[in-house]
Amino acid sequence: MVWIKYIATYLLISQNVWPEGPETTRFTLNWAIVMMLGELYVISFVTAIKITVDWLRENRRSTQLKKAQLESELRFLRTQISPHFLFNTLNNIYSLSLEKSDKVPETIIKLSEFMKYLLYGTHKDKHSLKKEIDCIENYIALESIRHGDKLKLEMEINGESKEKKIRPMILIPFIENAFKHGANQSVNSVEIKIFLNIEGDLLKFKVTNTMPSEQLNKHEVGGIGVSNVKKRLSLSYSKNDYHLNIKKKSNKFIVELNLKLT
């Protein structure tokens, strides 16, 4: 390339091939070294640009891949509401139908609304807190029909939820866990208390349920559903946007979640 540059300069521009240095018309070693150093600067600059562009492209591709993997994992975790709930609800509807109960149509509608929410309402990154609360109320209504008078349920909602956004299926697993490890495993009366307080952009959520005596000596707190939602919280929110406290106190299982809304 240096030789081609010398020939082109000599024939097309000027016989003085080194105007910025000693005047010469010959191809010398010094001229060749200076020309190669000059070209090395250009090559280094272009190479640096190419490396930077490749790094940015690869970094963007890696970020998109991680985002896609995250979204896939979140979608999978959202679908893990216990299949036992659906099984038990269908059995309950069957029992009501044998009794020719007037509750059958209402139960089917609530189950349909709940399943519709699971199938079509959880694909968005965030959705209305009101929809999440409606789903919770449908879930509770279905479980209340199944447990009847054995269940003592208290639910309190304070604040405006329509304009607030939340990740889908963040609260439901705690409700399911309260029924699964409380009402479902006890033959005695069970108390479940649910409180939602919306204060500006902060949601204060608390679930308390009594625990059967056979569970009180277990060391583990919660189950798969709780582990699931812990992982989803860590994937969906930064550490400063939520605080989760899960504990056992006397014969009660308590979940407290403070979550920043958008």
Side-chain angles (χ1 to χ4, degrees):
M1 292 301 299
V2 172
W3 176 252
I4 292 173
K5 181 175 181 179
Y6 168 76
I7 296 297
T9 303
Y10 187 86
L11 296 177
L12 302 176
I13 300 175
S14 171
Q15 292 183 352
N16 180 14
V17 295
W18 198 358
E20 66 274 16
E23 183 176 344
T24 181
T25 59
R26 293 186 304 142
F27 185 96
T28 64
L29 179 61
N30 288 340
W31 181 87
I33 292 173
V34 171
M35 292 303 106
M36 283 189 286
L37 288 174
E39 297 304 325
L40 180 62
Y41 295 146
V42 175
I43 292 171
S44 299
F45 181 70
V46 173
T47 302
I49 293 176
K50 180 65 167 61
I51 291 173
T52 302
V53 170
D54 288 347
W55 180 84
L56 290 173
R57 185 182 294 113
E58 181 63 25
N59 187 63
R60 183 170 62 251
R61 192 187 71 83
S62 177
T63 301
Q64 291 173 344
L65 180 60
K66 288 180 180 179
K67 184 178 179 180
Q69 290 174 337
L70 174 62
E71 291 174 350
S72 177
E73 184 172 4
L74 285 173
R75 282 195 297 270
F76 171 72
L77 291 172
R78 287 171 191 165
T79 63
Q80 288 188 318
I81 290 291
S82 175
H84 291 99
F85 164 75
L86 179 59
F87 176 77
N88 290 330
T89 302
L90 290 174
N91 276 341
N92 187 54
I93 292 173
Y94 175 70
S95 299
L96 290 173
S97 67
L98 291 178
E99 298 171 3
K100 297 184 179 180
S101 172
D102 295 335
K103 294 181 180 180
V104 172
E106 178 188 357
T107 306
I108 293 175
I109 289 174
K110 289 188 177 298
L111 179 60
S112 174
E113 290 175 351
F114 185 79
M115 297 307 297
K116 181 180 179 181
Y117 174 79
L118 292 183
L119 289 172
Y120 305 112
T122 61
H123 297 295
K124 293 182 180 179
D125 186 42
K126 291 183 179 180
H127 71 165
S128 169
L129 176 59
K130 179 66 168 58
K131 290 183 178 180
E132 186 83 358
I133 293 174
D134 290 342
C135 182
I136 289 173
E137 290 176 339
N138 281 332
Y139 182 92
I140 290 173
L142 290 168
E143 288 283 12
S144 298
I145 292 172
R146 183 157 68 95
H147 294 290
D149 296 335
K150 185 180 76 171
L151 177 65
K152 295 181 179 179
L153 179 68
E154 181 181 347
M155 184 171 181
E156 182 179 325
I157 301 174
N158 299 310
E160 183 57 48
S161 60
K162 287 184 179 180
E163 303 300 324
K164 305 301 180 183
K165 300 287 186 181
I166 191 173
R167 302 277 184 177
M169 304 297 291
I170 286 292
L171 305 180
I172 291 267
F174 294 120
I175 308 293
E176 184 199 18
N177 193 72
F179 282 96
K180 181 179 179 181
H181 297 286
N184 291 0
Q185 297 191 15
S186 177
V187 295
N188 301 317
S189 177
V190 173
E191 293 183 1
I192 296 179
K193 296 180 180 180
I194 303 168
F195 298 98
L196 289 97
N197 290 315
I198 304 158
E199 302 173 359
D201 292 335
L202 181 65
L203 170 66
K204 293 184 177 180
F205 175 71
K206 183 177 180 180
V207 181
T208 304
N209 66 275
T210 53
M211 299 176 63
S213 57
E214 58 269 20
Q215 285 194 353
L216 296 179
N217 296 324
K218 290 185 178 181
H219 297 292
E220 57 186 291
V221 178
I224 296 175
V226 173
S227 301
N228 179 315
V229 79
K230 281 182 178 179
K231 188 169 185 180
R232 288 185 53 221
L233 281 168
S234 66
L235 290 172
S236 304
Y237 292 91
S238 66
K239 292 183 179 180
N240 297 327
D241 288 342
Y242 75 95
H243 175 71
L244 178 62
N245 183 28
I246 300 176
K247 58 187 177 182
K248 286 192 294 186
K249 186 176 181 181
S250 184
N251 69 327
K252 294 183 178 179
F253 184 79
I254 303 169
V255 175
E256 295 175 326
L257 174 65
N258 292 340
L259 184 65
K260 184 178 180 181
L261 302 171
T262 56

